[in-house]
Amino acid sequence: MRADIRLWLPALIAAALFALPGCAEVGGEPVAPGGVGELSPTRVQLERLLASVRVVAARGHPGGYERGCKEGQRCVFGPLWSDNYDGPGGHDGCDTRNNVLSAQLTEVSFRPGTHNCVVTAGTLDDPYTGGRITFSKADAGDIQIDHVYPLAAAWDMGAASWPAERRVRFANDIDVNLLATETSANQAKGDSTPSEWLPPARTNHCSYAGKYLTVAVRYDLPVTAADNAVLNDIARSCP
């Protein structure tokens, strides 16, 4: 199965189940189907998501964000790539990073004896750069896992008041909020939101906007007025 299809497979299944023209709903929330290339969400689908998302004037700065989990650190989104959470992929014996790699890479190979948990090789059609990357466990640092809606931004925009369990699930949500990508792209993005960073591959902007908005709507996280303007501009360019 192509990696771009896998990225949006849950939304595509939802669309079939609900049979709504142009947009599906999961738990009453609009979800845009699409992905890289031909499966990108349409203008109508993005406009429906834009109509559902909350918009705030600017990103707040409540303070207290600390991702690290070493002794004395706050570990506000839980241990990195934890398997200990309730949600897709949780409590399955595999860590979240390997779950993402196995779902989004093609031609995947696993380390023997790990019950298909540890990915050792595969190919990634990068959703941000548009390039094709050959993954090897020996060079695992070439591919990182990005939070589409960044953790620091989520903290600033409302997650600071969430229960710890909800933050851990958000940080490990393999269905909508995690994408494997080239390390340099992930590092360039950092904790930026759409008004500050967009994928280098312009042809992938529609799918990125759809992913970002889907996460925001599902978790009731807002977008800033600046982000909203950029996402509306992207929507107008989508087919």
Side-chain angles (χ1 to χ4, degrees):
M1 185 182 294
R2 284 168 53 95
D4 55 349
I5 295 176
R6 296 184 196 199
L7 299 184
W8 285 93
L9 187 56
L12 292 171
I13 293 172
L17 289 174
F18 285 87
L20 294 178
C23 192
E25 291 191 5
V26 176
E29 302 165 352
V31 179
V36 179
E38 70 274 15
L39 291 179
S40 292
T42 67
R43 174 176 178 171
V44 170
Q45 290 161 345
L46 289 183
E47 287 176 343
R48 290 182 179 179
L49 283 164
L50 284 162
S52 299
V53 74
R54 291 189 295 118
V55 181
V56 296
R59 178 172 169 175
H61 294 285
Y65 174 75
E66 192 169 27
R67 176 64 169 136
C69 293
K70 295 180 181 178
E71 185 176 354
Q73 295 180 320
R74 297 192 66 204
C75 194
V76 296
F77 281 94
L80 186 65
W81 308 138
S82 173
D83 184 43
N84 185 24
Y85 67 95
D86 293 324
H91 304 295
D92 67 352
C94 304
D95 66 79
T96 299
R97 174 180 164 86
N98 277 292
N99 277 339
V100 174
L101 292 175
S102 65
Q104 296 180 13
L105 272 60
T106 56
E107 303 172 349
V108 177
S109 298
F110 298 93
R111 179 179 294 166
T114 65
H115 304 286
N116 287 352
C117 272
V118 179
V119 176
T120 58
T123 302
L124 174 68
D125 290 324
D126 195 308
Y128 289 165
T129 68
R132 177 162 289 187
I133 303 172
T134 299
F135 173 79
S136 168
K137 185 68 173 175
D139 299 309
D142 291 347
I143 291 178
Q144 293 184 350
I145 309 301
D146 179 53
H147 292 90
V148 176
Y149 198 119
L151 296 184
W155 177 267
D156 290 345
M157 303 284 263
S161 64
W162 291 353
E165 294 80 6
R166 182 173 174 83
R167 292 200 296 266
V168 172
R169 175 167 180 163
F170 178 84
N172 293 278
D173 191 330
I174 62 176
D175 273 357
V176 297
N177 198 30
L178 298 178
L179 287 178
T181 185
E182 179 184 299
T183 293
S184 61
N186 188 42
Q187 293 177 343
K189 178 189 175 188
D191 68 349
S192 300
T193 59
S195 62
E196 302 163 321
W197 183 92
L198 290 172
R202 182 176 291 273
T203 54
N204 294 350
H205 284 187
C206 293
S207 63
Y208 179 69
K211 289 287 280 186
Y212 194 93
L213 286 164
T214 295
V215 179
V217 171
R218 177 167 292 186
Y219 285 90
D220 192 29
L221 288 166
V223 299
T224 66
D227 292 337
N228 187 55
V230 168
L231 292 166
N232 271 280
D233 285 344
I234 291 172
R236 284 190 284 271
S237 71
C238 299

